[in-house]
């Protein structure tokens, strides 16, 4: 059991010993970390007894909701039975076999093989190595360049951070690594000018074709994208974008990779985001909803073409100590089985997802400085704008977003500011009544936000 300490004691020990991810340590330690002590359903509880509605499912990952009683039981039994063994040296174990079998059942048609990792970043780095190995085995050793998108997010390892298009990450670590290039993101609101979204989707896809021709198709290995860019601000591409990307990749014999770390396992109402947008990648990366965050685990799904080619190449010299970890695999199996057998994914598609999308547009569409209200399933966003009529954004993109997010936090509602995009991705078990509660609180926060904008002379 956790030691019982006061919030002050937790904070002091945390400040003395714990380096947080993506954090300005000195700034954090001036104010002290928020100490989350327990969680249930869609709610978090902190050490001060506050009840907080988690509109972000942790970090887009707690699809099944907090406080499940079955998953800890599964972990306990597995830990007692076989806490760990590796899957190197021609060994396997029942937990990873059962998970692999289940994943082949829920995956889109043509995906029967998975490779296991411990995170989304490791899934992305695994994919990079698979893609380059694929073309080596094919005898096309110059096809090594991967194309990503600016403001895309693919993790924080050297490969993932390079493939991602977050320039503030590239500056730390001299990234990107060689052989990774980027094209602009399919953000119609900013880049669409006078085009309709459908026209813009084709234009944005053409940026990929232009990049392929610039690099040389004989040197391009793959195009990689999130079906919906998550940490980049829930950029939902026009319907024409992904089918056109698929056509271009086929035309130039380039592998198509979907990064489904956020969009996977029911987030969009489909099992995977690729199914919303009607494209079939060759490889897709997952993590987050695979275990709903109850255990660290990721998985890379490869289609039959890629699986066969990798196998033809003999030893694939890549993997991790914990690839297919028994406890993580057992918990992921129970999680995915529950998402399917309890009808949670189906409910997102047919009930709570459409309800959220309707209410989200009703609530936020009414505010003067909110535009591009968007989303699908249970991933949604809007953009804070200076002038709707001209689609003018605020200067210093991100400052206004932080102001807005902090008002939500003060009201015990977690939403995420990605620049001046406000985004939300609650646990998939959120009920319609809880959606109403969440949006009622959010609406009050937005009234306060617009009041503060005026008081500060920002609008
Ligand atoms: C699409 C995508 N791909 C890869 C990763 C990396 O996963 P790991 O973190 O498990 O290595 C992600 C992760 N996405 C992520 C992770 C942490 C914070 C935030 C945020 O929005 O603030 C988003 C992601 O969203």
């Amino acid at each position: 059991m956790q030691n019982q300490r006061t919030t002050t004691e937790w904070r002091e020990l945390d400040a003395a010993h714990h380096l947080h991810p993506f954090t300005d340590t000195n700034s954090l330690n001036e104010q002290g970390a928020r100490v989350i002590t327990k969680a249930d359903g869609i709610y978090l509880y902190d050490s001060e007894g506050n009840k907080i509605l988690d509109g972000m499912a942790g970090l887009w990952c707690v699809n099944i909701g907090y406080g499940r009683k079955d998953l800890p039981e599964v972990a306990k039994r597995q830990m007692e039975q076989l806490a760990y063994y590796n899957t190197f040296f021609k060994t396997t174990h029942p937990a990873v076999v059962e998970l692999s079998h289940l994943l082949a059942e829920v995956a889109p048609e043509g995906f029967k093989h998975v490779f296991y990792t411990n995170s989304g970043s490791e899934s992305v780095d695994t994919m990079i190595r698979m893609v380059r190995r694929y073309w080596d085995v094919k005898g096309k050793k110059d096809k090594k360049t991967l194309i990503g998108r600016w403001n895309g997010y693919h993790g924080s390892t050297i490969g993932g951070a390079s493939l991602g298009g977050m320039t503030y990450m590239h500056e730390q670590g001299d990234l990107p690594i060689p052989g990774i290039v980027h094209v602009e993101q399919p953000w119609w609101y900013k880049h669409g000018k006078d085009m309709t979204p459908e026209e813009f989707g084709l234009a944005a896809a053409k940026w990929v074709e232009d990049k392929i021709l610039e690099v040389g198709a004989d040197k391009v290995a793959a195009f990689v994208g999130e079906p919906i860019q998550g940490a980049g601000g829930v950029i939902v591409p026009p319907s024409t974008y992904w089918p056109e990307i698929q056509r271009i990749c086929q035309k130039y014999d380039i592998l198509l990779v979907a990064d489904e770390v956020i969009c996977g396992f029911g987030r969009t109402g489909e099992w995977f985001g690729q199914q919303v947008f009607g494209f079939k990648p060759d490889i897709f990366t997952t993590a987050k909803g695979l275990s709903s965050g109850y255990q660290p685990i990721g998985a890379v799904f490869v289609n039959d073409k890629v699986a066969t080619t990798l196998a033809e190449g003999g030893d694939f010299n890549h993997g991790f100590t914990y690839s297919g970890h028994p406890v993580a695999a057992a918990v992921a199996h129970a999680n995915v089985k529950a998402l399917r057998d309890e009808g949670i994914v189906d409910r997102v598609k047919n009930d709570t997802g459409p309800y959220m999308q309707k209410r989200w547009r009703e609530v936020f569409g009414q505010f003067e400085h909110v535009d591009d209200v968007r989303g699908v399933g249970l991933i949604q966003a809007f953009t804070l704008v200076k002038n709707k009529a001209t689609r003018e954004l605020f200067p210093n993109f991100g400052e206004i977003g932080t102001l807005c997010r902090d008002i939500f936090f003060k009201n015990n509602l977690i939403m995420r500011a990605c620049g001046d995009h406000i985004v939300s991705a609650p646990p998939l078990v959120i009920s319609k009544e809880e959606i109403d509660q969440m949006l009622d609180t959010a609406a009050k926060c937005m009234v306060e936000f617009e009041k503060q904008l005026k008081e500060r002379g920002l609008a």
Side-chain angles (χ1 to χ4, degrees):
M1 277 303 282
Q2 293 164 347
N3 295 340
Q4 281 314 311
R5 296 183 190 275
T6 65
T7 301
T8 303
E9 287 169 338
W10 288 124
R11 282 179 176 160
E12 283 169 358
L13 285 171
D14 190 72
H17 307 295
H18 179 197
L19 296 175
H20 291 241
F22 282 88
T23 293
D24 176 331
T25 299
N26 292 336
S27 160
L28 167 66
N29 293 337
E30 274 163 24
Q31 64 188 59
R34 189 169 207 175
V35 182
I36 304 299
T37 55
K38 66 187 176 94
D40 189 42
I42 66 167
Y43 293 100
L44 306 171
Y45 298 84
D46 72 12
S47 56
E48 297 295 291
N50 295 306
K51 180 179 180 182
I52 303 149
L53 197 158
D54 185 5
M56 277 305 294
L59 283 173
W60 322 74
C61 57
V62 189
N63 291 19
I64 205 162
Y66 298 101
R68 296 282 301 201
K69 300 295 178 245
D70 53 345
L71 301 188
E73 275 310 307
V74 165
K76 178 175 183 290
R77 276 202 309 275
Q78 180 63 50
M79 212 170 262
E80 287 166 346
Q81 172 75 21
L82 177 70
Y84 173 74
Y85 198 66
N86 65 72
T87 52
F88 288 58
F89 317 127
K90 296 184 172 47
T91 56
T92 191
H93 53 76
V96 76
V97 172
E98 295 305 333
L99 174 59
S100 305
H101 183 209
L102 177 61
L103 291 182
E105 288 178 352
V106 302
E109 193 204 331
F111 287 94
K112 296 194 282 294
H113 295 88
V114 287
F115 188 102
Y116 293 102
T117 71
N118 303 290
S119 66
S121 300
E122 284 187 6
S123 290
V124 168
D125 278 40
T126 295
M127 172 277 295
I128 294 171
R129 296 197 60 193
M130 280 179 170
V131 159
R132 290 179 166 176
R133 178 64 185 152
Y134 174 89
W135 290 114
D136 277 347
V137 173
K138 285 288 195 190
K140 298 188 174 176
K141 294 185 181 303
D142 290 340
K143 280 176 82 83
K144 290 291 167 34
T145 296
L146 291 95
I147 302 174
R149 281 100 53 95
W150 292 119
N151 208 35
Y153 188 79
H154 299 293
S156 200
T157 40
I158 298 283
S162 293
L163 190 57
M166 304 285 186
T167 51
Y168 66 90
M169 293 175 75
H170 292 169
E171 289 156 14
Q172 297 182 354
D174 304 310
L175 304 177
I177 55 174
I180 291 184
V181 297
H182 300 85
V183 296
E184 194 44 82
Q185 60 184 127
W187 180 16
W188 171 79
Y189 196 86
K190 179 170 183 180
H191 302 297
K193 297 188 178 61
D194 300 332
M195 288 180 266
T196 65
E198 291 68 30
E199 290 164 342
F200 173 68
L202 297 175
K206 189 167 181 319
W207 294 336
V208 176
E209 184 166 31
D210 294 346
K211 185 59 76 174
I212 290 165
L213 296 173
E214 177 191 323
V215 171
D218 59 332
K219 292 188 175 55
V220 179
F223 173 75
V224 184
E226 304 154 81
I228 295 172
Q229 283 174 267
V234 182
I235 306 297
V236 182
S239 60
T240 51
Y241 180 75
W242 278 113
E244 181 67 1
I245 292 281
Q246 175 114 59
R247 185 191 68 77
I248 290 166
C249 287
Q250 283 164 347
K251 177 180 176 184
Y252 294 100
D253 193 19
I254 285 160
L255 291 177
L256 177 54
V257 178
D259 185 344
E260 297 264 14
V261 168
I262 284 181
C263 288
F265 297 100
R267 175 59 55 196
T268 65
E270 297 294 348
W271 273 89
F272 298 95
Q274 58 195 265
Q275 296 165 306
V276 173
F277 296 101
F279 71 101
K280 285 189 79 61
D282 297 296
I283 300 173
F284 64 94
T285 50
T286 70
K288 294 188 191 282
L290 170 56
S291 65
S292 291
Y294 280 67
Q295 281 283 293
I297 185 171
V300 182
F301 292 69
V302 300
N303 68 8
D304 297 340
K305 174 178 80 172
V306 172
T308 304
T309 301
L310 290 177
E312 283 164 4
D315 257 345
F316 175 48
N317 300 317
H318 172 70
F320 306 101
T321 300
Y322 299 140
S323 286
H325 188 286
V327 179
V331 169
H333 181 273
N335 170 69
V336 171
K337 196 167 181 305
L339 288 174
R340 182 187 66 182
D341 298 352
E342 294 176 19
I344 295 170
V345 175
D346 288 341
R347 236 185 341 276
V348 176
K349 180 171 186 171
N350 301 314
D351 186 18
T352 52
Y355 186 73
M356 169 66 91
Q357 295 311 316
K358 172 175 172 290
R359 297 279 293 116
W360 184 265
R361 286 161 177 74
E362 285 168 358
V363 168
F364 296 110
Q366 64 185 317
F367 291 98
E368 182 187 354
H369 294 287
V370 168
D371 208 356
D372 198 11
V373 186
R374 59 193 183 271
V376 60
L378 286 175
I379 180 170
Q380 49 277 337
F382 55 83
T383 306
L384 300 168
V385 301
K386 188 162 181 146
N387 184 324
K388 273 183 179 178
T390 59
R391 295 194 346 228
E392 183 190 0
L393 300 172
F394 282 105
N396 308 321
F397 196 71
E399 272 177 23
I400 296 294
T402 303
L403 169 67
C404 188
R405 183 224 38 210
D406 289 349
I407 296 170
F408 289 124
F409 269 28
K410 262 210 276 309
N411 287 274
N412 287 330
L413 169 56
I414 294 184
M415 304 256 266
R416 174 106 170 64
C418 301
D420 284 349
H421 307 291
I422 296 295
V423 311
S424 164
L428 304 188
V429 293
I430 190 169
S431 67
K432 291 160 91 169
E433 295 71 29
E434 289 167 333
I435 289 172
D436 289 338
Q437 262 179 41
M438 173 181 162
L439 295 181
D440 289 349
T441 302
K444 294 187 184 92
C445 294
M446 291 306 292
V447 171
E448 171 61 20
F449 166 71
E450 297 235 326
K451 179 166 162 283
Q452 287 195 24
L453 274 187
K454 293 202 169 20
E455 285 168 357
R456 299 178 185 212
L458 294 169

